[in-house]
Amino acid sequence: SSNWTGSSPLTFILTGIPGLSMSSYWVALPLCCLYLLMLLGNCTLLWMIKTDHSLHTPMYYFLSMLAVADLGLSLSTLPTMLAIFWFESTSLHFEACIIQMYFIHSFSAIESGVLVAMAFDRFVAICYPLHYASVLMSSLIMKAGGAIFMRGICVVLPVAILIKKMSFCRSHVLSHSFCLHQDMLRLVCGDVRVNSLYGLTAVILTKGLDSLTILLSYMMIIRAILNTVSQEARAKAFSTCISHLCAVLIFYIPLISLSIIHRFGKHLPPLTHTLLADAYLLVPPVLNPLVYSWKTKRIRRRILILLCRRG
């Protein structure tokens, strides 16, 4: 048994939502609405940041990077999700599955890195406000953005290369509507210790270190806020962090829950795994633009101006 059966390439079978028929249009329609909302929200954010010169500040540059990562993450899952629920097409070739897996994990690592950069932005703004402009210069932001994207691209590449060399002699049915490394790895026939070890190392070096860095940043931010004498200044400083805190929680809570479920929740019903994986990949790209539009005055004001002009 190998990656190829005779002259036919290996094909994986993707899974929709357990317990529902593939032709459930009441699932497909809300799913399409979520994707449209994600596209509208993130593209609107990018357009506003590009066209409004008052938004050309470090905070909004990092927000535009977050929107790009959200778009990439959602568009990576879009083809197979819609193929399953609209066209009842569940098969996916091995190479296409690896490509999808690579982009999902790469954009996930990029989004995690952008959240760290945004935490650093809030740390400098609150702890060293007088040095904000001199520290977060355009050149540093460009270098940070390039490093974040290169890290996401490079750290996941060995994962795709290693799994491409594996043989699959078990069931070819995956647990989700898209390809994830952990899900593909359980179908491998042979020794997967190298793959598992590198996969764990990649997670620790990206999301593990990122979450610790964000936690450390907010510990220092909270200490700086508590040392502020004025109650009004405390409230103002904390309000500038709410949007980013929401984005961090929206991203990391489903991620941590999914990791725990994969490790210790094998006895749980398949529906639990499916819903958590869908939430991890679909919820942040949809909610992030809504959170920032609601909590950021400049963006909210810009949206109101656009709506008034159209009205």
Side-chain angles (χ1 to χ4, degrees), residues 181-239:
H181 179 245
Q182 310 95 302
D183 202 17
M184 295 176 68
L185 208 58
R186 70 180 179 83
L187 304 181
V188 169
C189 178
D191 190 358
V192 296
R193 284 178 295 181
V194 174
N195 300 65
S196 297
L197 181 61
Y198 182 82
L200 180 61
T201 303
V203 170
I204 292 172
L205 291 177
T206 53
K207 292 156 191 174
L209 285 178
D210 291 349
S211 58
L212 288 176
T213 304
I214 293 170
L215 180 62
L216 179 62
S217 298
Y218 271 99
M219 288 173 62
M220 299 175 73
I221 287 171
I222 291 170
R223 187 179 67 177
I225 291 174
L226 293 177
N227 289 335
T228 305
V229 177
S230 169
Q231 191 72 26
E232 184 181 349
R234 286 184 186 180
K236 186 177 179 180
F238 184 71
S239 67

